[in-house]
């Protein structure tokens, strides 16, 4: 009986601490993201090195991209992938982006990097890449 | 001999309390990072990971405080041992599925291999067992 009472007390204490943290703490998790999706705010917290992949077409890449980004578009995947693998750092975090909104290229490229090349630590940027550039 | 047992009792309780308090603090400060660590295990649905992100560190710090008090020894040692067993199961599950993730044990900064994490948790379980044996008489009176 005493054990149950103590367990209830521990549960109560846990509840108070957990609820207070939920109310006070501004660092709330973003549930809208899949397990391999990240936002610009999360980028500084990623362990280094970070490699950035631009999944848009070569024309779009030429017209502007994140500094030091590598272009791997869906249409030229094989060629650009081999160029990328030449400079790829094995333990790096890879962040893939494309245009914000309805663009699925970043998701497709991230899936291909993981499934076809067996590369881990691949993330899809969900924010507008221009915010990162600026 | 009694003195040695009494010192061991105190030291082991302090080790467990400090380890759990230290593990809880970074998770309490950054529940968002802990949420992503939990989600990387791909075991629980998002809503449950969200709840765990807030209440597991709270349980860790509560147990860490209560294990130092004789009055709450049984319930705190029960919770700490249960948590350690669950952590080992979660790590083994990630390991067997080939996931390459950060265990999230001491916040997102921790980056030990799976073997080290399991070994550390097993050592802590051994400490719990020793504490249970040392306090066996007290525990039998307590019930």
């Amino acid at each position: 009986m005493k054990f149950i009472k103590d367990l209830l007390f521990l549960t109560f204490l846990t509840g108070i601490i957990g609820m207070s943290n939920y109310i006070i703490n501004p660092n709330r998790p973003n549930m809208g993201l899949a397990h391999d999706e990240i936002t610009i705010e999360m980028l500084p917290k990623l362990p280094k090195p970070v490699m950035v992949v631009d999944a848009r077409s070569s024309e779009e890449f030429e017209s502007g991209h994140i500094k030091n980004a590598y272009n791997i578009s869906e249409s030229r995947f094989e060629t650009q992938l081999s160029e990328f693998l030449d400079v790829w750092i094995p333990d790096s975090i890879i962040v893939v982006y494309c245009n914000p909104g309805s663009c699925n290229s970043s998701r497709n490229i991230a899936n291909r990097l993981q499934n076809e090349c067996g590369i881990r630590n691949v993330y899809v940027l969900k924010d507008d890449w221009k915010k990162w550039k600026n | 001999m009694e003195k040695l047992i009494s010192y061991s009792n105190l030291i082991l309780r302090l080790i467990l309390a400090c380890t759990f308090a230290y593990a809880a603090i970074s998770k309490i400060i950054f529940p968002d990072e802990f949420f992503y660590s939990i989600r990387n295990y791909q075991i629980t649905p998002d809503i449950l990971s969200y709840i765990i992100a807030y209440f597991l560190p709270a349980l860790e710090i509560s147990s860490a405080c209560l294990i130092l008090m004789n009055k709450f020894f049984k319930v705190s040692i029960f919770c700490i041992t249960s948590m350690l067993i669950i952590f080992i199961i979660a790590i083994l599950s990630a390991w067997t599925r080939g996931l390459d993730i950060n265990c999230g044990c001491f916040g997102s900064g921790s980056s030990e291999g799976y073997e080290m994490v399991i070994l550390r948790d097993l050592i802590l379980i051994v400490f719990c067992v020793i504490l249970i044996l040392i306090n066996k008489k007290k525990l039998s009176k307590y019930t």
Side-chain angles (χ1 to χ4, degrees), chain A residues 6 25 27 33-34 45 120, chain B residues 28-29 33 36 39 98 142:
Chain A
D6 288 351
N25 200 324
N27 299 320
L33 297 174
K45 296 173 184 172
R120 284 173 183 170
Chain B
I28 286 176
I29 298 170
E33 289 180 13
Y36 301 123
R39 201 159 61 168
Y142 185 77

Side-chain angles (χ1 to χ4, degrees), chain B residues 76-92:
Chain B
S76 52
I77 200 80
F78 169 76
C79 281
I80 286 177
T81 315
S82 309
M83 279 190 273
L84 288 167
I85 292 169
I86 291 168
F87 295 161
I88 290 177
I89 292 170
I91 292 286
L92 281 174

